[in-house]
Every structure is written in structure tokens, then in C-alpha cells.
Amino acid sequence: MNTLFNLDTLNQRLNELKQWLYHNIFDWENLIQFALQVFVLLGARVIGALIGRWFRKIVKNRFQERIRQYSYLSSFVTRSIELMPLIFSIFILWLCVQVVINLGYNIFLMMLVLNLSVAWVIIQLAASIILDRFWSRLIAALSWSIAALNIIGILDETIVILESIGFHIGDIHLTLLSIVKAVVILVALLKCVGWFSAYLEKKLISVPEILPTTRLMITKSVNITLLFLVCL
């Protein structure tokens, strides 16, 4: 307790903090690199927004009416069009990161923004496809977790750990990472099956010669067949 409130100890801690700030924050080289990163971020955002808005206008004018015919893709494509300025900004920022890496400068701030932006886009696009709240939240949690691990630089180590945790079923070796990948692929395939079934049903409805019972039988048969193939 006496050590905690000792003036000499307190002054020593303050001096150590001052030295750390001088060497890591108020160093001219670090300040220049920080300013460079801020400039690159602003430039990437402005240029990406301009290109994205121009491209978004072209896509809206040429393809939006066609896209509306396919309800199963409409929400995804609409959200993608809305996010085009951000997507182009991310691409330009990624190119700038590669250039800055070659120059040997610090890229922490740019990588922080890049990872968070990519995670945000993935979450938004996934939410436009997967309307189920549980799966949407699960994908959001995974995206933010991957972004956080990549930011602090332990993503590769985490992947190695996930690959090291596993068990054998007969001659098959399953790891925690392979199970996670399998679940993600399975969910994506099941969603594709749902899209195709909805598309097929819509096409069959437009054919008046097919009876409702026949249409239902065809749709269910195709759906069951696709689900069986997915589970193989």
C-alpha cells in the first residue's frame, strides 16, 4: 500500500510512460507513418466511393429490373449494389496496403480498417441471404472473430490449433477446423438448394399445362434428390 502511493515510485512510472510515449507515439517517423496511413485511408475511401457510385448507377440502370424477377437473389444483389462504394474502397485500400508493405512502412491502422470493413461487408451480405436470426448471428460472430484474430496477428496460429484438435472415426481423421468448414459448406449448399427449389417452382407455376399435384410432386422430388446429394 505504501509502495503504491510512494511519490518516488509514482514519478518513476510517469517517467517510464513519458519515455514510451516519446519513443512510440511522438517519434517523427511514427507520426509520419500514421499521417500516411490516415491519408491513404481517406484517399481509398474517396476514390472507392466515387468509382462505386458510378458503377452502382450503371448496374441499377441495366440489371435491376431483371434481378427483381428472381426473388431469391434480389435481396443479395440489392445489398451488394448498395455496398459497392465500400467494396471498391476496400479493394483500393488493399492495393495501397501492398504498396506500403513494399515501402517498409507500418500498416497496422490500414489493416485494422481493412479487416473490420471486410467483416462488415461479409456480415451484411450474409444477412441479406440468410434470414434466420440464429445463423445470421453465428456468421456475424465468426466474421468478427476472424477479423479480430487477423488484426492481432494470431489467425495463423489459431488455424494451426484448430487443425491439431481432432479425432479418428475409422480411417477418417476429423479436426475441429474441418468440422467448421463442413458446417459452413453444408449451410451454403442447403441455401442453394432452397434457391433452386424456389426458382423451379416459379417456373412450373408459369406452365398452365402442369397440374398443381404434378407440380408439387416434381418440386418435392427434385428437392429431396438435391438434399440427398448434398448430404453425401
Side-chain angles (χ1 to χ4, degrees):
M1 192 74 176
N2 293 331
T3 305
L4 183 63
F5 291 99
N6 188 290
L7 290 178
D8 293 335
T9 304
L10 182 59
N11 286 330
Q12 182 181 353
R13 296 286 183 269
L14 289 175
N15 287 330
E16 291 175 356
L17 176 62
K18 185 190 298 183
Q19 292 298 321
W20 185 88
L21 290 173
Y22 279 135
H23 286 91
N24 295 277
I25 303 298
F26 298 110
D27 181 73
W28 275 111
E29 184 178 355
N30 290 336
L31 288 174
I32 291 172
Q33 291 189 23
F34 179 80
L36 175 64
Q37 291 184 73
V38 172
F39 177 77
V40 170
L41 288 171
L42 292 175
R45 181 56 180 155
V46 171
I47 297 173
L50 292 174
I51 298 175
R53 288 172 185 170
W54 171 75
F55 192 75
R56 181 174 61 186
K57 187 181 295 184
I58 294 175
V59 173
K60 277 186 175 181
N61 293 336
R62 294 188 179 182
F63 302 107
Q64 197 162 32
E65 292 301 324
R66 299 180 186 177
I67 293 169
R68 287 176 182 173
Q69 300 175 6
Y70 306 100
S71 58
Y72 52 91
L73 280 177
S74 179
S75 59
F76 174 77
V77 176
T78 301
R79 191 60 181 147
S80 300
I81 292 173
E82 293 174 356
L83 291 172
M84 276 183 181
L86 179 57
I87 293 172
F88 275 92
S89 298
I90 290 172
F91 177 69
I92 293 174
L93 178 58
W94 178 81
L95 293 177
C96 294
V97 167
Q98 307 309 310
V99 174
V100 175
I101 288 176
N102 291 329
L103 294 176
Y105 290 148
N106 190 3
I107 58 168
F108 176 78
L109 181 61
M110 290 189 291
M111 289 302 298
L112 174 65
V113 175
L114 182 62
N115 282 284
L116 293 178
S117 300
V118 171
W120 173 256
V121 169
I122 292 173
I123 291 168
Q124 292 298 308
L125 295 179
S128 68
I129 301 173
I130 303 173
L131 301 180
D132 185 86
R133 182 175 295 181
F134 170 77
W135 289 109
S136 297
R137 289 182 176 180
L138 180 61
I139 292 175
L142 288 174
S143 300
W144 288 126
S145 299
I146 292 172
L149 292 172
N150 198 26
I151 288 169
I152 60 180
I154 60 172
L155 180 60
D156 293 336
E157 290 82 352
T158 304
I159 293 174
V160 172
I161 292 173
L162 292 176
E163 288 180 339
S164 65
I165 302 173
F167 54 91
H168 285 85
I169 301 179
D171 296 332
I172 301 174
H173 179 67
L174 294 176
T175 64
L176 189 57
L177 182 62
S178 64
I179 294 173
V180 172
K181 288 180 178 179
V183 170
V184 172
I185 293 173
L186 180 61
V187 171
L189 290 176
L190 290 175
K191 195 65 182 178
C192 291
V193 170
W195 283 344
F196 183 78
S197 298
Y199 173 77
L200 179 62
E201 185 175 1
K202 186 176 180 180
K203 287 297 183 182
L204 292 175
I205 290 175
S206 63
V207 181
E209 292 81 5
I210 300 178
L211 297 175
T213 53
T214 306
R215 182 173 65 244
L216 180 62
M217 183 180 66
I218 294 174
T219 304
K220 294 299 181 183
S221 299
V222 172
N223 200 10
I224 292 172
T225 303
L226 291 176
L227 289 174
F228 176 75
L229 293 174
V230 166
C231 295
L232 285 179

